[in-house]
Amino acid sequence: MFINRITLVNFRNFENITFYPSNDLNILVGSNGSGKTSILESIHYMSLARSFRTSNNSSIVHFGEKSFVIASSLLEEKGEESFSHKLAISRELSGKLQIKFDNESVRRISTLANNICVQLISPTSLSLIDGTPSLRREFIDWGCFYHFPEYTILYQRFQKILKQRNAVLQLHKPSEFLSYWNDQFIKASLQINEYRDKYLKLFNEEAKLIISHILPQYSLSITLSSGFKTSREEFVEQLNLILPKELQLGYTLYGPQKSDIKIKAEKRLASELLSRGQQKLLLISLRLAQGLIYEKYMNKNCIFLIDDFSSELDDSMQHVLYSYLFNNVSNSQFFITSLSDKLFSSFSSDSIRVNFFKIDNNTIIENNNT
């Protein structure tokens, strides 16, 4: 889905604004604190019904008001045909959430994600590279959820099995209970790992093409560290050996819940070798690759949100990145926030539409006379 119109009512500091983005590149320019990130936050909310900035939804409601509303017009393209849709989301201070898609109530958040695919790149996103393994597991599972329709059910089943196995360990249940849950756990673990490995191989092909343009000076590799022995016999042996410690601690020590992705440059961890600017270029490459895989295999477009474009990047890096986006990425919609439009306005094309929006005093004005 492409977003053709966005209306925000009592969202953060915006009392009532409407703007019309391009299907290609949208540059949101304004000073710090002007509300640029809030625009991206509202788009993120359209996909997942939650903020990437806070878990306290009441803080998003404009001061003195009881609720906020996000309303949008969407364009779906299928071959040569196009279809218009309408999405409206409201949330009250009490937490009550209402979602309507084409005037029909939506009960499952997954319905939003299936219609609007968003990839977020913010100053805090670098934690994907230097943060905890759980963030990288979330990254690869996102790809698996979208690429393999059956993965969601498998993953949910695995989580239930893991919870049951941990309960058996905590309560020191008889061995027959543990034997049953071990069999279930091993089967689900091997299946989860197979899907993750399959997706990562696909992902590497796309990511290497992008990285070769944006970070050509490095040889990068992205590999899956499973977190357990991946043959059934060895995994059974591994669980048997670790059982006394698991009984003592009361939880499972090996399995897909311990998996990680090793991101390396020149055979060293990227977090150790690359500068902050280079890490950001790598991060954007990874997010682009994931979004482009989604577009290629789901035959749907992805929306990329890049907050604070210049953060961590010198002038040369900014030029390399935007040049790549401008010349190589098609069928994707971008929303990019920046303090200045100088870099972006120096590019021109008859085939790429770039819309500039100036954000100031809680208003947004289309400004394409740059």
Side-chain angles (χ1 to χ4, degrees):
M1 297 276 188
F2 293 97
I3 302 173
N4 286 337
R5 176 184 60 82
I6 300 175
T7 296
L8 303 180
V9 179
N10 297 325
F11 188 92
R12 294 287 187 180
N13 289 333
F14 296 110
E15 293 184 38
N16 193 329
I17 66 160
T18 297
F19 70 103
Y20 301 86
S22 157
N23 285 1
D24 298 319
L25 296 165
N26 299 280
I27 313 300
L28 311 174
V29 180
S31 60
N32 288 326
S34 61
K36 302 186 301 297
T37 301
S38 296
I39 300 293
L40 302 192
E41 183 182 23
S42 70
I43 298 169
H44 188 272
Y45 222 97
M46 291 182 207
S47 176
L48 298 170
R50 60 179 169 83
S51 167
F52 61 83
R53 301 167 74 185
T54 178
S55 58
N56 180 14
N57 284 289
S58 63
S59 68
I60 305 175
V61 180
H62 188 73
F63 182 75
E65 301 295 336
K66 296 181 179 180
S67 64
F68 70 74
V69 174
I70 305 169
S72 61
S73 295
L74 309 170
L75 179 68
E76 179 184 14
E77 294 186 345
K78 290 185 176 180
E80 296 181 356
E81 294 185 289
S82 60
F83 305 89
S84 296
H85 301 279
K86 294 187 182 301
L87 172 67
I89 301 174
S90 67
R91 191 182 282 274
E92 300 177 4
L93 282 173
S94 63
K96 182 180 178 181
L97 176 69
Q98 289 187 312
I99 304 171
K100 287 194 173 182
F101 187 78
D102 288 342
N103 297 318
E104 296 287 334
S105 294
V106 173
R107 299 186 182 278
R108 297 173 64 89
I109 302 299
S110 58
T111 302
L112 289 179
N114 287 333
N115 281 296
I116 302 178
C117 170
V118 165
Q119 282 283 354
L120 171 69
I121 300 152
S122 71
T124 61
S125 298
L126 284 178
S127 53
L128 177 67
I129 295 174
D130 60 10
T132 62
S134 63
L135 297 172
R136 291 182 287 276
R137 285 196 297 273
E138 183 180 322
F139 175 81
I140 194 169
D141 283 334
W142 185 99
C144 290
F145 287 142
Y146 277 112
H147 197 70
F148 307 110
E150 65 275 20
Y151 187 79
T152 300
I153 296 173
L154 170 62
Y155 185 82
Q156 291 171 345
R157 186 169 77 246
F158 168 77
Q159 292 294 329
K160 291 178 182 178
I161 293 169
L162 176 62
K163 184 178 180 179
Q164 290 292 338
R165 187 176 189 274
N166 285 341
V168 171
L169 292 171
Q170 291 165 10
L171 297 173
H172 293 261
K173 290 279 189 178
S175 58
E176 58 267 25
F177 284 92
L178 185 59
S179 178
Y180 172 80
W181 288 112
N182 267 358
D183 287 342
Q184 298 297 310
F185 180 69
I186 290 168
K187 180 180 179 181
S189 295
L190 294 173
Q191 289 175 325
I192 289 281
N193 192 73
E194 183 180 351
Y195 278 109
R196 285 175 173 173
D197 188 56
K198 190 183 298 184
Y199 177 77
L200 192 57
K201 289 176 180 175
L202 184 73
F203 175 83
N204 268 312
E205 294 178 9
E206 195 73 46
K208 286 179 179 178
L209 290 174
I210 298 172
I211 292 169
S212 67
H213 285 86
I214 298 179
L215 278 172
Q217 65 271 47
Y218 288 106
S219 173
L220 288 115
S221 64
I222 305 164
T223 56
L224 177 65
S225 176
S226 299
F228 63 101
K229 301 290 187 182
T230 55
S231 77
R232 181 178 179 84
E233 294 75 16
E234 289 180 322
F235 193 19
V236 169
E237 182 180 357
Q238 189 176 40
L239 291 177
N240 288 335
L241 289 173
I242 202 67
L243 180 59
K245 190 172 183 179
E246 288 186 327
L247 289 169
Q248 181 184 358
L249 296 173
Y251 59 86
T252 303
L253 291 172
Y254 291 110
Q257 78 282 4
K258 299 293 184 180
S259 296
D260 197 0
I261 301 171
K262 300 300 182 184
I263 306 172
K264 294 184 177 182
E266 306 300 333
K267 299 184 179 180
R268 288 177 56 188
L269 289 176
S271 57
E272 297 174 355
L273 179 64
L274 303 185
S275 68
R276 294 289 290 180
Q278 290 169 333
Q279 286 183 40
K280 181 171 179 177
L281 291 178
L282 173 59
L283 168 71
I284 293 175
S285 299
L286 301 180
R287 290 292 185 187
L288 284 174
Q290 194 162 67
L292 294 178
I293 289 171
Y294 169 86
E295 291 179 352
K296 185 182 296 184
Y297 290 92
M298 300 296 290
N299 199 28
K300 296 179 180 180
N301 72 291
C302 190
I303 298 172
F304 294 92
L305 311 177
I306 305 180
D307 193 23
D308 198 357
F309 184 88
S310 62
S311 172
E312 309 286 359
L313 302 179
D314 60 28
D315 290 347
S316 174
M317 288 177 173
Q318 290 180 51
H319 190 277
V320 166
L321 174 58
Y322 189 65
S323 178
Y324 179 81
L325 297 181
F326 193 85
N327 294 302
N328 293 282
V329 178
S330 60
N331 198 40
S332 304
Q333 190 173 31
F334 283 81
F335 292 83
I336 300 171
T337 70
S338 178
L339 295 172
S340 168
D341 61 11
K342 183 179 179 181
L343 167 68
F344 312 104
S345 59
S346 65
F347 287 76
S348 63
S349 170
D350 293 331
S351 59
I352 299 294
R353 183 182 171 193
V354 184
N355 275 17
F356 292 89
F357 298 93
K358 182 175 177 56
I359 303 173
D360 188 29
N361 294 323
N362 305 316
T363 62
I364 182 166
I365 302 170
E366 188 168 353
N367 181 24
N368 289 322
N369 297 317
T370 55

